[in-house]
Amino acid sequence: MAKKARPPDLTIAIDFGGSLTKAVYADASFNEQLLLMEPEVISVPQAAIASYESTKLGQADPADSAWVTVDGQSYVVGYLARSRFHGNPGLSSLKYERAFPKTLAAVWVASRALKLKHRFNVAIIILMPAGEYESGKQLREMLEEGLKNFDTPTGQLSATLTHFDCKPEGGGIYMIHRHQLGSAAHRQTIAVVMVGYRNASVLLSERGQVTQRRTSNLGFIKMVELVESRIAGLPSTAQLARAIALAGDKVEARYLEPLTMSSVAETRRDEVQRLVEVIKPCRDEYALALRSWLRETLPRQINLSGVILCGGTAEYMHIELEDHFAYTEINWNADIEIPESLRNEELGSRLCDAFGTYLYFRGTIADSLSSAVALAASG
Amino acid sequence: MDNRLDIRFRFRPSPKTPNGILLNYLKKQGSPLITNEMLLRAARAFWLVEAYQDCGAKKGQELKKLAVNMIFALEDHALHLRTIFGIERQSSVSPVFQQIATYPPDLRVVPQEETDEEDDALKSIPRIDAGGL
């Protein structure tokens, strides 16, 4: 009897956001779970890891204590990289270079949660900015080799990459929206506008097929940099970004208070006031740049049937974006419903792209396994 | 109404005592902001976890996470001192620490079992067209 085709032990869809790595992973029965990791990664000498391992106290979550060594090169990833090794989120370097160790680390963390053996099969799908999406092939080759043998805090792992795919950011949302439209997708021109922490991307689909992919560096970080350039002595970019995002379109002062340094109440109030005065024009300036890029990328002549808006920064800029696209039908996040088991209050709808990508990938895996079973039966 | 705490720290040590030398060094940092931050950073690393435990604002895993964070801060400063004064790390680690640093049994490998109902489940998974992606 032919050996039954079995889903991979681990299926994982990863969205390497500039402010957070978001992943949906599942066991061989496709029971989904959520994985969040800080975006930081840093390459360190192996001795630094040995020293950390020999002196660490207690037991942190795998997601907070991840490192990998592959081909003699060690990387610390996530919270551990941020807190202990001063890693930076690497907003200026290409995502795919950093995607390699981050993927290995995410695979290790997920394998711990699923209690996998040291040998297992894995299927990986990754979201990349439209501009770097072509690097998927290189990443696949690196991962195929790297996964075969890499060191982790719980020993050496050997994973076989059974399925791999790479889609541009916004792709998960686009595919789900297209699926929901059914045959109507073939008559429509749809744009998916994704504004995240690092990039703003546009996917244009005409008659059910993607015909254009554009990306720019106009992510939220641009606005944060504008604020940083006008006020000296602010805390880390990550803290500033978080406070600005929480303060919202009304720039609510109470969220900016943690950024101030003074212990004198009056000085703190002045510092907050100054921040409010700086953030407001920076937001306008950022909105202007974003709208100008969107006008150029999606000129009115395109005659959109609708636009799908997604990404954490798009939500932050919702007033400006809804105003910009007032001439067409607006949909947010393709109305994707995140299952209860994956919901996270702080994350909100920022998981939609990764979850949509996971749903697509799960379908292609099931399809490939069903075909394998059919072939075995007919052979 | 402003309901923030107003803490004033007043201490008058003799300038030649360790406390006097310490506080004099902290005071002459050029900005009260830096002085405050140096004092608070050290105090946080030592006592913040217990302060949270005492007031009950964090519990369980949250409290443990904070403790891990503060341990990182303490270890970082230890590393800073080692680097500045060229002090090597002691090679032997307390066996007690080694014992708690290993992964607990629930994170260890367990055998995976194959199930027979997966074929039907596979068929029910919806296929989604990539639409040119």
Side-chain angles (χ1 to χ4, degrees), chain A residues 50-112:
Chain A
S51 149
Y52 161 72
E53 282 293 324
S54 67
T55 54
K56 71 177 183 187
L57 304 179
Q59 180 57 64
D61 280 349
D64 291 344
S65 56
W67 57 261
V68 293
T69 298
V70 59
D71 288 332
Q73 183 65 55
S74 298
Y75 304 90
V76 181
V77 181
Y79 175 74
L80 182 60
R82 172 183 286 183
S83 60
R84 178 75 166 82
F85 292 91
H86 311 296
N88 69 64
L91 295 167
S92 53
S93 62
L94 289 174
K95 264 193 180 177
Y96 91 89
E97 292 167 348
R98 307 171 69 87
F100 174 56
K102 287 193 204 181
T103 305
L104 294 180
V107 165
W108 171 69
V109 175
S111 79
R112 292 292 82 208

Side-chain angles (χ1 to χ4, degrees), chain A residues 55 64 79 112 115 174 268, chain B residues 4 65 69 106-107 131:
Chain A
T55 54
D64 291 344
Y79 175 74
R112 292 292 82 208
K115 300 184 168 67
Y174 161 69
R268 283 171 71 90
Chain B
R4 276 177 297 202
K65 207 161 180 171
N69 217 340
D106 66 321
L107 286 176

Side-chain angles (χ1 to χ4, degrees), chain A residues 200-238:
Chain A
S201 310
V202 166
L203 293 174
L204 183 69
S205 159
E206 292 168 289
R207 301 187 180 202
Q209 295 294 302
V210 169
T211 51
Q212 258 194 62
R213 299 190 304 261
R214 292 278 173 81
T215 195
S216 78
N217 59 1
L218 287 168
F220 190 56
I221 188 69
K222 273 280 164 232
M223 178 176 159
V224 178
E225 281 169 2
L226 281 174
V227 176
E228 277 180 329
S229 70
R230 289 173 202 185
I231 293 191
L234 286 167
S236 73
T237 304

Side-chain angles (χ1 to χ4, degrees), chain A residues 98-132:
Chain A
R98 307 171 69 87
F100 174 56
K102 287 193 204 181
T103 305
L104 294 180
V107 165
W108 171 69
V109 175
S111 79
R112 292 292 82 208
L114 297 181
K115 300 184 168 67
L116 296 181
K117 299 181 216 174
H118 285 87
R119 280 182 184 279
F120 55 89
N121 291 328
V122 58
I124 301 173
I125 187 164
I126 282 167
L127 284 164
M128 299 281 264
E132 289 175 47

